[in-house]
Structure formats: structure tokens, C-alpha cells
Amino acid sequence: MLRRICVLVFLLAGERAWAQEPFNLSAQVNELATLLTDLYGPDGLVVDSQATLPGEQSHSAHFTSHFQSNFGQFATALVNQLVSAPKPSPASGFTFEFDPTVGVFHRSTQSFGPILTERAETIGANHIAFGAAYQRFTFDTIDGLDLQKVPAVFEHDNAQLLGGRQDLVTTTNSIEGRVNQFTSFLTLGVTDSFDVSVAVPIISNEMKVISKATIQRLGTTDPLTHFFVLPNGEVGNERTFTAAGSSAGIGDVTVRMKNTVLRRHANLALALDVRIPTGNEMDLLGSGAAGLRPFAIWSSKFGQLSPHVNIGYQWNGSSVLAGSPATGESADFPDDITYAAGADISVNSHLTIAFDLLGRYVMNANRLVRQDFHALNGTSVFPNIVFEKDSFASSRGAAGIKASFLNNFLLDLNLLFALDDRGLVD
């Protein structure tokens, strides 16, 4: 759920920290982008072995997983969702148009406009608008998969040699992500038809991963071949791993330029968003990639009803989050086509109701796919996940109100909700 209110107060986020749970192995997290690759330690998921018992021969049992090695793709999904989430429109709810017959500006619209999308009208020459917005995200699913129950199978290294190397470690992973975003924005009316806006987000992230691991003895029967040492010193098949961290700071700054090119009963404007990668991508505060989004805006008025349509193309540069955060290798951040349609209704001179349908078509992005894992013994099957490159469309709905008070002040309340389960969903 996304709740948004225009306020001027933001709760200061605490310093980066990590959680400690009794009887769990808790990893120290230095950067959120490598949270899961740090979860099992620098060597990955290594079970205990006879080397940990006095007088026994050493045996190294490393287990690897598509999930852990590709968790950077989950970080990409998280940040891509954050930087592409519809931000409050920096345009003022009050728009003005110059009337040459009397030589003064007058209100050009009766409604206060949309909340998360744009309308073609500008605020008018020499007018300034300032605002601030608070948004909160708590993520629930990714590509239809419950983030509290993400399965992942770890294979023994050189499993093709069979024997005891057929043993597996199955895990059930709980991923919690919370994002608070406070955005301040300023819009300047350069001419009667041209606006320039700047939006500056301050972001606070919290992430936590709990992985419950179980050894599956498919190639061995001796409990001392692969095991976990329990807190009481005995051996067992299960262990819980925990990693958690938080970060806070400035996100990616966006500069928006909008020019109205047609003013009649229906208005048309062309706009350009320039995203500056000012947010630290390794702390998931920004994308780490410059971005450009040219888009067109159509809006009109039919009495108290003011419909609007936005369509654009989001180009993104290269970022380590689209490559490998653990190694520092960069790759192209996914581009997408954005579109929105909606309307705002002027209930009276002090209240506007706004609603929108917002969509994205993300191209060549990493997606999470649930896939059965068939063990080498030919009979055992376990739930698992893999990442695959794919393009997909996702839709969101939005509904809210805008209320005026003290002449030139507006208070906005808005709810953003998912209409499908594609991508990372709040």
C-alpha cells in the first residue's frame, strides 16, 4: 500500500544497522545491494562437516544457488520499482493563463489537477509552486511470488560426481522491504507555456532476509557427512540465517521541463524528465544510472470533468545494480514505456477528486520464475526459483483527493494499488 500526504516533516532515519536473533547466524551487512550475497557469509552457504569435530578428517561442503548468485537482480527489481514509482506531480494545482483583453492572468482550470500524473496546462509566467510529499512502500510479492515464502535450492559443488554430493540444502526465505520517501519539489513558470520543475527525494530503506535452511540427505545416510552444529553442540539438519540493514540519504534527483504546444478546448504539452543518479545505488537509494523520459501530455475540460493522458519512453543508462553489485560489474538498466490515463473532478471550489490508471511495459528485465528442482537421484523434487530475462506489462490504480485551504495551499491524499502481480508489488 502507498500512502501519500503533503507534509513538511520527515522522520529522521537511523544509521545503518543489522539484526541479531537468538540461535541464528546473523550476517554483518555493509551495503543493502549485497544483502543476500552476504547472508551466508563470504564463502556462501557452507555446512558444518567432520572437520569441526576433534580428530576427524576435513571435508569442505560448499553449496551454491541460482538464488544467491543472482540476488543482485532482486536489488535491481527493488530499485527499478522505486525510481519508476509514480511521483507526485510537481506542477501546481493552480494554473493560470494570460488574458490579453484585460492584461492579467486568470485561473485556467477549476480542478486542482491529477496527483501522480501530469496535465498539459502550466502554472503561468513568473509563478512559483512549492510542495512536499511523503510516500511509504511495503512490498508483498515479486512476480506473483510471496516474499515471505521464497524457495531456493542449493546444490553441492561438483554435484555431478554423485555420491554424497547429491545432498541438497533447501531454503525458505522471507524478504522484508520497507521504503519511506520524502520528496520536495519546486516549479517555476518561465513563460506562459513553459515550466521547469525539480524534485529532490530523501529516502529511508529497511531490508531484512531470514533464510531457514534444511539439509536433504539424498546421497548420504551418515549424519556426520553434512550437518549444522546446534547451539547445544549437537548436530542437526536445520539452521536459520539472518541479514538485515537500513540506509538513508538523498535519492535520484529529477528535473522536469514541460512546454504547452497547443491551447484550445484540448491542450497538448511535451515534457522531458532528466533523472540525475545522485542516490547511492549500493544502499538502494538510487538507480546508479542516468535516465531520460520524454513524454506527451493531453488534457481537456468538460465542465467539472478534466481527463488527461500521458505516454512516454523511459531510457536508462548503465548501473551496477543491473549487473553484479558483489563484483562491481555494470549492465544496462531496463528501459520501459510508461502510460497513464485518468481524470480529476472538481466537486466544488475547494475539493477535487482524482483517479488514474498507470501502466508500464518493462523491456528485457530480470524476472523471478518459480521452477521445480529435480534432484540427481531422479525421484526427489523441490520448489525453487530462477531469474529469466523477459519483457512484461504491469498496471496500477490510483485514487485520491485534493483539498484547498488558506487560498494557495493544497492538501493531497492518495492511494496507489496493484492491478496485477507482475514485478515487485506493494
Side-chain angles (χ1 to χ4, degrees):
M1 181 182 296
L2 168 64
R3 300 180 181 88
R4 169 185 178 271
I5 56 174
C6 289
V7 295
L8 297 178
V9 179
F10 179 63
L11 297 178
L12 294 178
E15 296 182 353
R16 187 180 299 132
W18 46 84
Q20 180 73 39
E21 294 192 3
F23 309 118
N24 292 352
L25 285 186
S26 184
Q28 177 172 317
V29 177
N30 296 316
E31 295 172 316
L32 292 187
T34 58
L35 183 79
L36 198 134
T37 50
D38 293 336
L39 175 61
Y40 305 105
D43 298 321
L45 204 166
V46 181
V47 304
D48 297 317
S49 63
Q50 297 183 52
T52 61
L53 302 179
E56 297 291 349
Q57 183 179 1
S58 175
H59 169 69
S60 177
H62 292 80
F63 288 78
T64 59
S65 167
H66 194 72
F67 179 51
Q68 185 185 20
S69 62
N70 288 277
F71 184 69
Q73 312 307 334
F74 179 85
T76 301
L78 174 65
V79 176
N80 192 28
Q81 170 75 11
L82 180 61
V83 300
S84 63
K87 295 179 176 62
S89 172
S92 169
F94 305 98
T95 63
F96 299 88
E97 190 173 54
F98 184 73
D99 187 347
T101 60
V102 293
V104 297
F105 283 91
H106 64 87
R107 280 284 304 275
S108 58
T109 57
Q110 296 305 311
S111 78
F112 300 129
I115 295 176
L116 298 180
T117 53
E118 272 283 7
R119 59 180 172 180
E121 292 86 356
T122 54
I123 67 172
N126 302 319
H127 285 79
I128 294 177
F130 172 80
Y134 172 74
Q135 296 172 296
R136 178 172 173 82
F137 305 82
T138 54
F139 299 107
D140 304 310
T141 65
I142 181 169
D143 290 322
L145 190 65
D146 187 351
L147 285 176
Q148 299 300 309
K149 300 175 182 179
V150 179
V153 176
F154 287 71
E155 281 190 284
H156 199 296
D157 53 354
N158 298 316
Q160 70 276 8
L161 298 179
L162 304 180
R165 295 180 182 271
Q166 294 181 82
D167 284 358
L168 302 171
V169 177
T170 57
T171 63
T172 300
N173 303 275
S174 170
I175 304 173
E176 297 179 7
R178 291 183 293 274
V179 178
N180 296 283
Q181 181 172 275
F182 176 82
T183 305
S184 57
F185 45 85
L186 177 70
T187 300
L188 172 64
V190 180
T191 70
D192 190 27
S193 60
F194 183 66
D195 287 350
V196 176
S197 305
V198 179
V200 181
I202 302 296
I203 298 171
S204 171
N205 292 323
E206 296 179 16
M207 289 190 66
K208 183 177 182 180
V209 179
I210 300 175
S211 181
K212 296 181 179 180
T214 303
I215 297 173
Q216 305 291 341
R217 303 189 187 282
L218 306 182
T220 63
T221 56
D222 185 355
L224 295 183
T225 304
H226 301 131
F227 59 89
F228 292 121
V229 175
L230 303 179
N232 61 6
E234 297 180 358
V235 299
N237 295 337
E238 297 182 349
R239 176 176 286 170
T240 300
F241 298 84
T242 302
S246 62
S247 63
I250 189 172
D252 289 351
V253 173
T254 299
V255 178
R256 174 172 294 178
M257 292 163 281
K258 183 176 71 171
N259 186 56
T260 303
V261 295
L262 179 66
R263 288 181 182 273
R264 286 192 176 90
H265 177 70
N267 298 319
L268 179 66
L270 300 177
L272 175 67
D273 280 355
V274 180
R275 190 183 67 241
I276 305 171
T278 49
N280 185 337
E281 68 272 21
M282 294 302 292
D283 278 335
L284 304 187
L285 297 172
S287 63
L292 296 174
R293 185 173 77 103
F295 64 106
I297 309 156
W298 173 91
S299 61
S300 187
K301 300 184 290 289
F302 300 94
Q304 295 177 302
L305 178 68
S306 299
H308 51 265
V309 175
N310 298 179
I311 185 168
Y313 182 89
Q314 175 69 55
W315 173 87
N316 296 303
S318 180
S319 169
V320 67
L321 292 180
S324 173
T327 63
E329 180 183 358
S330 296
D332 289 337
F333 214 71
D335 295 350
D336 57 79
I337 298 171
T338 61
Y339 44 92
D344 40 278
I345 303 171
S346 176
V347 178
N348 54 46
S349 60
H350 297 285
L351 180 65
T352 293
I353 299 175
F355 55 90
D356 279 296
L357 172 66
L358 306 106
R360 300 171 60 212
Y361 182 76
V362 186
M363 292 173 282
N364 201 30
N366 283 288
R367 300 194 66 193
L368 201 63
V369 179
R370 184 160 184 154
Q371 186 179 91
D372 286 340
F373 181 91
H374 296 268
L376 293 176
N377 65 2
T379 57
S380 300
V381 179
F382 302 95
N384 192 30
I385 56 97
V386 296
F387 286 92
E388 294 182 354
K389 288 280 189 181
D390 190 20
S391 298
F392 66 95
S394 66
S395 300
R396 304 290 181 266
I401 61 172
K402 305 181 83 169
S404 70
F405 61 101
L406 299 179
N407 294 325
N408 289 330
F409 286 87
L410 285 176
L411 175 65
D412 304 348
L413 301 172
N414 188 74
L415 174 69
L416 181 69
F417 50 90
L419 297 177
D420 55 52
D421 61 4
R422 302 183 188 100
L424 190 62
V425 175
D426 183 1

